[in-house]
């Protein structure tokens, strides 16, 4: 039976970006499937009383250095977004909408937004800049604007975020293999072991 890894993510998390760069390779090597689950990290934090690492200056400074260590280990480029923190509400609604358009569309959207956030950083707090990023990648901006205001999409993101919290998530990225939860991209080795067993 093929194993599935649920990958709960938000574009605003640099650790989710690193996980996104690595998890598909791990899953492919183990014959597993990745179930991508967009959630709103701000909503998860609010519901659980959690705070982002940057809320503690010393922790934020350490994490910045640690992220670069992991990026080097993985052989990927990570560039901290100078406009961080980014309000990802509309971007995550876009992810929910993109899932309804098929795998190729969804993965193109993931790559476009993750890279504009953490590879070649753009100010994704600015709606005009978001539109420019999408247009440059070949997306229909009118489609995006309409979908991110669609009540079904809004409700879908809200329900997914509530589901993540109900399952025990308190941050991003969070992974599940069956009932087993793993938090943080630094747990990818455990995920690899679980998929191999």
């Amino acid at each position: 039976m093929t194993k599935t890894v649920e990958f709960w993510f938000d574009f605003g998390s640099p650790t989710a970006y690193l996980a996104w760069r690595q998890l598909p390779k791990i899953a492919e090597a183990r014959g597993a499937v990745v179930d991508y689950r967009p959630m709103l990290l701000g909503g998860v934090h609010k519901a659980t009383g959690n705070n982002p690492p940057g809320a503690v200056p010393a922790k934020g400074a350490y994490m910045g250095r640690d992220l670069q260590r992991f990026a080097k280990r993985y052989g990927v480029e990570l560039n901290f977004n100078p406009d961080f923190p980014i309000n990802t509400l509309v971007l995550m609604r876009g992810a929910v909408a993109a899932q309804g358009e098929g795998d190729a569309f969804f993965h193109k959207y993931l790559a476009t937004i993750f890279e504009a956030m953490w590879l070649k950083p753009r100010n994704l707090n600015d709606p005009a800049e978001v539109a420019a990023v999408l247009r440059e990648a070949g997306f229909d901006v009118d489609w995006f604007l309409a979908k991110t205001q669609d009540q079904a999409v809004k409700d879908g993101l809200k329900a997914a975020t509530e589901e993540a919290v109900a399952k025990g998530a308190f941050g991003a990225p969070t992974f599940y293999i069956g009932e087993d939860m793993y938090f943080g991209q630094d747990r990818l080795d455990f995920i690899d072991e679980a998929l191999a067993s």
Side-chain angles (χ1 to χ4, degrees):
M1 187 171 109
T2 303
K3 290 188 177 181
T4 299
V5 185
E6 291 182 20
F7 173 32
W8 294 82
F9 71 94
D10 183 303
F11 295 119
S13 166
T15 53
Y17 164 75
L18 289 176
W20 168 73
R21 294 293 303 264
Q22 296 305 109
L23 184 60
K25 300 174 192 174
I26 294 169
E28 183 179 5
R30 299 302 184 187
V33 174
V34 178
D35 180 13
Y36 294 84
R37 303 298 307 271
M39 66 179 182
L40 187 63
L41 185 54
V44 170
H45 282 167
K46 184 176 180 181
T48 61
N50 195 9
N51 289 309
V56 179
K59 186 176 182 180
Y62 169 80
M63 188 172 175
R65 293 190 297 273
D66 205 44
L67 287 171
Q68 290 302 329
R69 291 184 189 118
F70 275 103
K72 183 177 179 181
R73 172 176 287 174
Y74 298 152
V76 302
E77 188 176 351
L78 169 68
N79 297 301
F80 202 81
N81 195 307
D83 297 295
F84 189 83
I86 305 283
N87 183 335
T88 60
L89 176 61
V90 173
L91 302 174
M92 297 314 299
R93 286 179 183 168
V96 170
Q99 278 190 312
E101 301 295 320
D103 284 350
F105 189 100
F106 176 65
H107 287 291
K108 181 179 177 182
Y109 180 80
L110 284 187
T112 299
I113 303 302
F114 264 131
E115 290 174 6
M117 185 76 78
W118 301 112
L119 182 61
K120 297 178 181 176
R122 307 276 287 269
N123 183 5
L124 300 183
N125 280 319
D126 180 354
E129 190 71 1
V130 172
V133 166
L134 292 171
R135 195 175 295 112
E136 289 163 17
F139 289 99
D140 181 341
V141 175
D142 291 335
W143 170 88
F144 176 81
L145 294 173
K147 281 292 189 179
T148 55
Q149 295 306 310
D150 183 281
Q151 194 60 48
V153 171
K154 292 180 180 181
D155 291 345
L157 179 59
K158 182 179 178 185
T161 303
E162 290 171 351
E163 181 185 349
V165 171
K167 286 173 70 87
F170 52 85
T174 298
F175 313 91
Y176 291 91
I177 301 174
E179 298 300 314
D180 292 329
M181 175 179 141
Y182 305 85
F183 171 70
Q185 64 80 28
D186 54 349
R187 297 300 184 263
L188 289 173
D189 54 343
F190 289 116
I191 291 169
D192 185 39
E193 288 174 7
L195 294 176
S197 64

